Amino acid sequence: MELETRQAALCLILRGETFLVAELHDPQTGSVLHRPPGGGIEPGESPEQAVRRELREELGVELTALQSLGRIDHIWHWNGREVHERAWLFRANSSDDVRLERGECPGLQEADGQRVKTLWRSMRDNPAGFSLLCPAPLCPAALAHLLTSLL
């Protein structure tokens, strides 16, 4: 049986040397992950269309300039299962939205109506997470390498 690969589009919204992440709590294990905002790509959507839609739906943010950073194929564990994912990454600047430019952290509005906490994470944090200042690992984990090239 071949595993299906989930297609996702994520956005690194940068503000100085910080970037916005959603703080995700695994409902089964309670572990915490930090993940850039975004979500699944719907049939017929390009990755850029998907990330724009997701940010509009979840954060109420309209971004003007997006820069494609490529993709990361990775595996992560969530809610008791292994998720194979191809994550298309985009870069944006917080100056597109006055709330983000001020450093506000709008909560993500998920499809099921739940609000997810967001926060600004330093690009200089321990890439794997697990530090006193930032105890959560990044998802996708390979994002840490990309962040060092953006500094």
Side-chain angles (χ1 to χ4, degrees):
M1 180 172 94
E2 189 175 319
L3 292 172
E4 182 180 335
T5 299
R6 177 181 192 267
Q7 301 289 318
L10 306 174
C11 190
L12 286 170
I13 300 174
L14 305 179
R15 182 175 178 264
E17 290 188 359
T18 64
F19 63 105
L20 191 69
V21 293
E23 186 171 270
L24 304 178
H25 296 263
D26 188 306
Q28 198 160 66
T29 66
S31 63
V32 177
L33 295 172
H34 282 172
R35 185 165 165 89
I41 299 173
E42 294 180 356
E45 268 186 327
S46 71
E48 183 175 336
Q49 290 168 328
V51 79
R52 287 182 184 280
R53 175 187 48 76
E54 287 285 346
L55 293 173
R56 185 174 45 254
E57 291 174 358
E58 294 179 350
L59 291 173
V61 171
E62 294 284 342
L63 298 173
T64 54
L66 285 176
Q67 175 190 1
S68 175
L69 298 174
R71 71 173 201 243
I72 295 175
D73 292 334
H74 69 116
I75 299 171
W76 57 302
H77 295 85
W78 186 254
N79 202 17
R81 63 188 186 97
E82 188 174 84
V83 180
H84 293 246
E85 183 175 70
R86 172 165 289 159
W88 299 90
L89 299 172
F90 294 88
R91 176 184 180 170
N93 193 300
S94 63
S95 64
D96 278 354
D97 184 274
V98 68
R99 298 170 303 148
L100 298 176
E101 185 61 19
R102 286 192 305 248
E104 292 180 22
C105 296
L108 291 174
Q109 182 71 42
E110 292 292 337
D112 62 5
Q114 268 190 325
R115 301 263 323 151
V116 175
K117 176 183 171 183
T118 60
L119 56 105
W120 293 98
R121 179 172 170 161
S122 172
M123 293 169 66
R124 296 189 183 276
D125 280 342
N126 177 359
F130 307 112
S131 71
L132 291 177
L133 296 175
C134 190
L138 289 172
C139 179
L143 188 57
H145 177 71
L146 176 65
L147 288 168
T148 59
S149 71
L150 296 176
L151 284 171

